[in-house]
Every structure is written in structure tokens, then in C-alpha cells.
Amino acid sequence: MAWRDLRQFLEHLEARGDLLTISAPVDPLFELGAICRWFLDRGPNHALFFRQVAGHQMPVVANTLATRERLDWALQIGEVPRHRFVLDRWQSTVEPVRISGAPPCQEEVWEGEAADLRRLPIPWHNVEDGGPYISMGILIVRDPDSGVHNLSYARVQVKGPQVGGIQILPEKHARRILERYQAAGQPMPVALAIGVDPVLSLAAAASPPWGVSEYGLAGAWRGEPVEVAEARTVPILVPAWAEIVIEGRIPPEAVEQEGPFGEFTGYYGPAGPRNRLEVQAITLRQNAIFQTLYTGLPICDNHIMQELLRSAKVWDKLRQSLPNITAVYCPPEAGNGFTVWIALKKRHEGEPRQAMLAAWTAFEYVKHVFVVDDDVDIYDARQREWAVATRVQADRDVLIVPRLIGMALDPSAQGQWGAPMRLGVEETPRTLKAGMGIDATRPLGVNYEPVVRVPESWMRHVAARLPELLGQTTPDG
Ligand SMILES: Cc1cc2nc3c(=O)[nH]c(=O)nc-3n(C[C@H](O)[C@H](O)[C@H](O)COP(=O)(O)O)c2cc1C
Ligand SMILES: [Mn+2]
């Protein structure tokens, strides 16, 4: 059974002892963020439920998907390898269904002046942030040409009771859709959903191909369609069981200063002129829960989500031409896919470079691509180091390709801007990246001495004798 909503998942976490309820009063100004950071780094790394947020009745949940275990429970992966689970359902979609009657997400409606962002317990996480931020709001927009719904995240800084500054990055689908409204001189209707079932949260972080709705992807992962409902003031279908939905519009030309914001890169994303989000209505469930996501230096929720999603995305692209790929891994420590590891059963000397080329173009973040033989366990940092140390000669095995489409928030790409392009309200620089590929596969036809491994049969032998070796039993029992 799929999770119907965030609440069901939180109940499950609580039953597993993986939800820490904090009943002591907590200040949303810096203190809540600091507590999130503490538990991410120093543990215990549970999901956090803040019951008493100063100045508010509404509770706040954080660190919800900050461990692999919680993500696996969210997806209900069971025994299936986690990358396979996501990948096998990547191409299929299960379209959402509309529920009949008034949706739970509209049990309470704030309209007119009552639609005031200050009524929500929106935290201000880091001292250098520009202000309080909605950090885990799912931006739902609709392509005016195809009608397809796109779900993704976009940080929103609270700038006034009904105004936010919203960052929609270059290369994102929401940006492409916004450009269409801007070209027509129309405001883009938007909905921002906060607090949904965790599989939908994950789907919004994923990037299925243009034209494929993240609603459909979530349905495939859930094994059941997502339930949706018409928003009240915008022509958009919203998740029926969302805790909170903010309805509004992004005018084509209005400029709002936004930032800085502590980003997934581990650096502050810079302040600048961004698009303005104008709030029209806020709808809520009774006893709504506000969800936030602390990000910054890895590893936070979004790094855990992207470890799985970006690996699957690269793998999906590679497998079309290289069926002999055996694993793809984007380590969460390296941000959200700046570094990719690929293992393959090499048959042709050209394959590692083919893999690099495909990986660099899979999405804009990918810079450093390591390709290894399939005997290397790329999920194990010791083996990754060992493979590079013993199978690479830099003059032969390193390929650098400059001036590819890069990621706007990569701080090392400063000075590598392409010509600014006009994306609506601002001149947005299009970042260039350099791809570096390191081929750590053994050359075909060159003699490599065997890898030193103790045979499995001997390891089983040791396992059988382990109690005795540990002095727990005598040979006679
Ligand atoms: C927690 C979180 C916050 C994010 N914040 C932003 C953001 O502020 N702006 C943005 O453009 N992308 C942001 N992203 C990245 C996009 O949501 C993500 O790349 C998504 O896959 C894009 O979807 P698309 O392929 O439909 O464009 C964020 C992702 C996560 C997980
Ligand atoms: Mn999309």
C-alpha cells in the first residue's frame, strides 16, 4: 500500500522509532535550523517533529528523508536493489486521479488578506540566509502548450505577507514553462505544495524527460495513482492530501531581490534579482504540518534523495547504448551529481569514453566521471580509491572536455559564464562546466596480475569457525 500522505509516513517512522518528537519550544529563527544540522551530523539521525514552534500553533517536520533507510521505507523497496527499483519504473507512468468532493488539502482556506505567509511557521535556517525560506515547497506548474504538470522544488524567500522571491534555475523544466508564459506576456499560475507523501516528494526532486509529469512518475513508484484536486484559484491540479497548498502567480516581468540561501553545494547561493511569487490563497488540512528541509554541507535530505535519483538518471541514459553497465553511483558527499562513478564489463576500448560523454550530457551537474571495471564495488570508497590508484595513467586515461552546459550554483564555475541569456526578469548567466573523465578500467589485452582475494569458500570456512575463533565455544562444542 502506497503512503497516502505525509502523516501516514510519519506514523510509520514513529512506529519504527525513527521519528524524534521535540516537545520543548523551539525558535524558527536559527534555532530550528541548528537543531536540524546537529541531528544530521551528530545524530541520532532521526526525522524531527517540532511540536512547539515559537509564535505558531502549527508543528514543523524536518530531516524526513535524510537517511537511506528512511528513503527505502518511503519507496517501500523491500529486497529489490534500490537503484533497480527506481530505474525499472523510470519509463512507465501511472497518471494521477481526481478525487471526488472537497479535497483534504482544502479543509481550511485562507483567501484575501488572510492568505498571509506569516501565519505559517516558516523557519530562517542559516544566519546568512536572506530571510525565512520555504525550502521544501513543490512548485507545480502546467505547460500551456501540452497541459502537462511539472513538479519540482524552488526555494521561496518570504518577502512580504503575500510576496515571495522564487529561484527557478536555468535548465529546469519550470524555467522553460515560465518562458512560454513570459513570451505571451502572461503571468504563470503556480501552486506550491508543502507536506506530501514521501514518494511524491522524491518524484519532485527527480527529473524525468521533458513532457513526462512527475505525477506520473510518482504513480509508477507508488504502484497507485497520486490523488489530485483542482486548486481553488489557479487552473492547476494539486496533491489532494497535501498539508498546505499556496496558490498564486509569477508575473512575467516583476523583479524581487532574493537570497542568499545556504545551498546543497555547501556554499551560499548568491542573492540577486529573481522572479516574484504573488500569493492568492493558502489552503490547508486541519491540524496541518509544515515541512522544511535543512540543506548545506552534505549530507542532508536532498543529497540522500539525489544519490538515488541522479544515479538512476545517468544509468537510464547510459543503458540505451551501453547495456554492459553494471552500476552507476553519484556519491552524496559530492553534492547532487557533480561526481559520477560508472562500473562496466568492458568489451571495447571505446566504451569508457562513450560512457563519459553520455554522463556529462545526462544533466547539467555532472563534471567528474570515473569509469571502472565491474569487479570494483563503486559503493565502497576504499575500492574507488584503490581502482584509481592502480588502474589510471593520467596521460592515457584522462579526458577533459571544456565548455559544456554547467550548473548555475557550482561555485567553482565562476568566470566560466557563457553569454548571459534573457530569462524573463533577469539576465541569467548560463554556467559553463568542464567535464573530466577518468578511465580507471584496465586496458584490454594488457596483462594484469590477478587481484588478491581470499576465495569465498575460505571466507565461509572462517564464518563457520567464528564462534570458536572468538573463544565462544570449544572444538567439542
Ligand atoms: C530540496 C530541494 C530544493 C531545490 N531547490 C531548487 C531551487 O530553489 N531552484 C531550482 O531551480 N531547483 C531546485 N531544486 C532542484 C530541482 O527541483 C530538481 O532539479 C528537479 O529535478 C527539477 O525538475 P525538472 O526536471 O522538472 O526541471 C531543488 C531540489 C531539491 C531536492
Ligand atoms: Mn520535469
Side-chain angles (χ1 to χ4, degrees):
M1 274 280 285
W3 309 111
R4 193 185 63 197
D5 53 17
L6 176 64
R7 294 177 192 199
Q8 272 193 353
F9 184 59
L10 295 179
E11 280 165 25
H12 172 78
L13 293 182
E14 188 162 37
R16 299 199 69 132
D18 203 10
L19 180 75
L20 181 69
T21 298
I22 297 177
S23 298
V26 168
D27 198 325
L29 185 67
F30 311 142
E31 188 179 27
L32 190 147
I35 294 170
C36 291
R37 186 80 257 183
W38 177 285
F39 283 96
L40 289 169
D41 293 344
R42 305 186 189 188
N45 191 351
H46 295 311
L48 304 176
F49 189 86
F50 297 94
R51 211 186 272 291
Q52 273 199 70
V53 179
H56 296 273
Q57 298 294 319
M58 195 181 290
V60 175
V61 65
N63 296 7
T64 324
L65 295 172
T67 67
R68 290 189 183 105
E69 291 71 28
R70 285 204 285 284
L71 195 60
D72 288 353
W73 291 333
L75 285 165
Q76 306 188 58
I77 282 176
E79 296 301 307
V80 185
R82 56 206 310 272
H83 296 100
R84 276 254 81 83
F85 180 96
V86 169
L87 208 55
D88 287 348
R89 293 160 184 79
W90 194 264
Q91 302 292 356
S92 47
T93 55
V94 175
E95 292 312 307
V97 294
R98 287 174 199 232
I99 65 163
S100 52
C105 68
Q106 292 168 6
E107 283 167 351
E108 241 183 275
V109 177
W110 300 346
E111 276 170 342
E113 297 215 330
D116 186 332
L117 294 169
R118 291 172 302 185
R119 297 174 71 185
L120 298 172
I122 303 173
W124 180 330
H125 282 166
N126 287 298
V127 178
E128 304 294 327
D129 286 349
Y133 265 88
I134 300 169
S135 53
M136 206 178 172
I138 298 176
L139 176 69
I140 308 170
V141 294
R142 200 165 178 167
D143 181 352
D145 300 328
S146 67
V148 171
H149 284 79
N150 194 79
L151 282 71
S152 59
Y153 292 91
R155 70 189 202 195
V156 174
Q157 181 183 348
V158 179
K159 296 299 302 279
Q162 301 192 307
V163 176
I166 184 165
Q167 174 189 260
I168 304 174
L169 292 167
E171 320 309 335
K172 305 295 181 192
H173 291 163
R175 176 53 78 178
R176 253 202 243 186
I177 293 169
L178 177 60
E179 283 171 49
R180 295 188 175 182
Y181 283 99
Q182 288 172 328
Q186 300 283 324
M188 175 168 75
V190 303
L192 207 62
I194 302 167
V196 297
D197 101 69
V199 179
L200 190 56
S201 296
L202 191 68
S207 186
W210 170 251
V212 176
S213 175
E214 287 79 6
Y215 273 137
L217 183 65
W221 288 343
R222 298 169 91 244
E224 281 175 38
V226 176
E227 294 188 314
V228 294
E230 279 286 352
R232 289 176 63 91
T233 67
V234 284
I236 290 178
L237 294 170
V238 297
W241 296 90
E243 296 293 328
I244 301 163
V245 177
I246 298 171
E247 302 179 5
R249 62 185 170 266
I250 298 180
E253 292 296 333
V255 174
E256 200 60 47
Q257 195 65 19
E258 184 267 354
F261 180 69
E263 272 291 351
F264 74 93
T265 55
Y267 301 86
Y268 283 92
R274 304 279 141 73
N275 291 100
R276 178 192 293 165
L277 171 68
E278 296 175 355
V279 176
Q280 293 165 198
I282 301 177
T283 75
L284 311 93
R285 286 182 70 176
Q286 263 158 30
N287 304 313
I289 304 166
F290 186 88
Q291 187 173 31
T292 192
L293 186 152
Y294 180 89
T295 194
L297 279 165
I299 298 173
C300 309
D301 299 57
N302 49 320
H303 306 107
I304 289 290
M305 290 196 272
Q306 297 299 4
E307 168 194 358
L308 187 58
L309 297 172
R310 306 263 202 236
S311 304
K313 175 129 176 122
V314 176
W315 202 335
D316 184 49
K317 174 144 199 221
L318 287 167
R319 66 182 174 175
Q320 291 160 24
S321 55
L322 294 167
N324 46 330
I325 302 265
T326 57
V328 177
Y329 180 54
C330 300
E333 295 85 354
N336 291 351
F338 290 126
T339 299
V340 179
W341 288 79
I342 298 165
L344 51 68
K345 211 178 198 56
K346 190 167 71 170
R347 304 162 308 185
H348 188 295
E349 219 38 88
E351 287 173 343
R353 288 184 177 213
Q354 299 263 135
M356 292 168 194
L357 291 165
W360 288 325
T361 55
F363 55 97
E364 71 273 25
Y365 300 60
V366 181
K367 291 194 293 182
H368 306 143
V369 180
F370 295 82
V371 185
V372 302
D373 298 301
D374 68 322
D375 66 322
V376 177
D377 177 1
I378 56 175
Y379 304 111
D380 182 341
R382 293 173 302 180
Q383 292 206 24
R384 298 199 298 265
E385 289 285 348
W386 166 75
V388 170
T390 61
R391 298 184 188 182
V392 174
Q393 289 299 321
D395 61 334
R396 179 191 68 196
D397 295 323
V398 178
L399 175 65
I400 294 175
V401 176
R403 301 181 71 79
L404 302 168
I405 297 174
M407 203 278 147
L409 294 175
D410 176 359
S412 69
Q414 291 170 69
Q416 300 227 78
W417 308 118
M421 60 184 291
R422 186 159 170 75
L423 286 169
V425 300
E426 56 179 306
E427 295 278 312
T428 303
R430 299 201 89 171
T431 318
L432 293 170
K433 71 180 178 187
M436 176 177 69
I438 298 199
D439 178 357
T441 60
R442 290 165 296 195
L444 293 171
V446 169
N447 182 42
Y448 253 75
E449 298 300 335
V451 174
V452 185
R453 294 192 202 276
V454 175
E456 265 314 301
S457 55
W458 276 106
M459 297 308 264
R460 281 197 299 275
H461 167 84
V462 173
R465 283 199 68 192
L466 206 54
E468 187 191 339
L469 297 171
L470 292 169
Q472 291 165 354
T473 58
T474 61
D476 300 320

